[in-house]
């Protein structure tokens, strides 16, 4: 079993919809929880991070962490075609462990 | 700042050939990483260097070697390439003393095909 599980999708939504992404994990030692965005044929870039449990909001993006359930989520409100990318969750103990990534397409 | 740069961008090898992937960063980061990305597998750590002069194995080190040439540069070598090493390779770096160890910066990747 992988340490971090993420549904690879793909996910296709109309412009303006809410995008909901999630990951589950098995390692209780994870303290930092990250979401990276990766555009086609580019390297990943950090989108948001959360320390321990709780919510964090940044513009149209909201990250949630539920350590009791070992479950993290990313919500994108009012999605735009420019949000079309692969979203990777990542978690850290002494190193980063990544999910497989979910490919999202926002249709204009 | 160029950030993290990788060369080459694309490479095709025949089975058994060797090659070195180059990575350099100009952000004065102390830690550097090599990952491979395969469909459905996410990013898997091959090797990392926590600081200049040190290297350690990651999750999938077999068939690879690394050299931390100096603080800026971290190379990945395939001694005898195999088709299973067909992948996209990413180099990343971060400043561990910043307390923001989650904030790794990635290069643009090298797409390698082994025939």
């Amino acid at each position: 079993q992988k340490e971090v599980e993420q549904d690879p999708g793909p996910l296709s939504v109309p412009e303006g919809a809410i995008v909901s992404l999630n990951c589950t994990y098995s390692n209780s030692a994870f303290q930092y929880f990250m979401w990276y965005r990766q555009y086609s044929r580019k390297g990943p870039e950090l989108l948001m991070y959360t320390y321990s449990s709780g919510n964090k909001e940044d513009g149209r993006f909201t990250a949630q962490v539920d350590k009791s359930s070992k479950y993290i989520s990313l919500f994108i409100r009012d999605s735009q075609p420019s949000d079309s990318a692969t979203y990777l969750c990542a978690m850290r103990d002494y190193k980063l462990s990544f999910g497989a990534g979910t490919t999202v397409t926002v249709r204009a | 700042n160029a950030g993290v740069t990788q060369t080459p961008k694309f490479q095709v090898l025949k089975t058994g050939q060797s090659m070195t992937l180059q990575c350099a960063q100009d952000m004065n980061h102390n830690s550097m990483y090599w990952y491979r990305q395969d469909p459905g597998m996410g990013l898997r750590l091959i090797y990392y260097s926590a600081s200049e002069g040190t290297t350690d194995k990651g999750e999938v080190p077999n068939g690879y070697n690394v050299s931390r040439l100096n603080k800026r540069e971290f190379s990945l070598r395939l001694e005898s390439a195999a088709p299973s090493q067909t992948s996209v390779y990413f180099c990343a770096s971060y400043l561990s003393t910043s307390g923001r160890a989650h904030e790794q910066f990635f290069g643009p990747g090298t797409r390698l095909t082994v025939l």
Side-chain angles (χ1 to χ4, degrees), chain A residues 96-107:
Chain A
L96 284 184
S97 296
F98 287 86
T102 301
T103 299
V104 174
T105 301
V106 180
R107 308 186 305 272

Side-chain angles (χ1 to χ4, degrees), chain B residues 62-78:
Chain B
N62 291 345
Y64 305 95
N65 283 300
V66 291
S67 294
R68 183 73 183 266
L69 304 170
N70 48 55
K71 191 171 186 179
R72 290 187 63 246
E73 298 171 289
F74 188 37
S75 63
L76 178 72
R77 183 161 178 83
L78 287 71

Side-chain angles (χ1 to χ4, degrees), chain A residues 2 8 32 34 36 38 40-46 49 86 88 92 94-101, chain B residues 10 33 35 37 40-43 45 48 59 90 94 99-109 111:
Chain A
K2 294 181 186 177
Y32 282 93
M34 284 73 70
Y36 280 79
Q38 184 176 22
S40 181
R41 295 185 175 268
K42 301 289 187 182
E45 56 182 353
L46 182 67
Y49 77 94
T86 296
L88 300 106
R92 176 203 161 200
Y94 70 94
K95 63 173 176 58
L96 284 184
S97 296
F98 287 86
Chain B
F10 303 92
Y33 297 77
Y35 295 91
Q37 187 175 36
M41 301 293 290
L43 286 158
L45 183 63
Y48 67 100
E59 183 184 356
F90 288 100
Y94 86 98
R100 295 170 64 85
H102 48 281
E103 196 165 13
Q104 291 194 5
F105 293 83
F106 284 81
R111 293 181 175 272

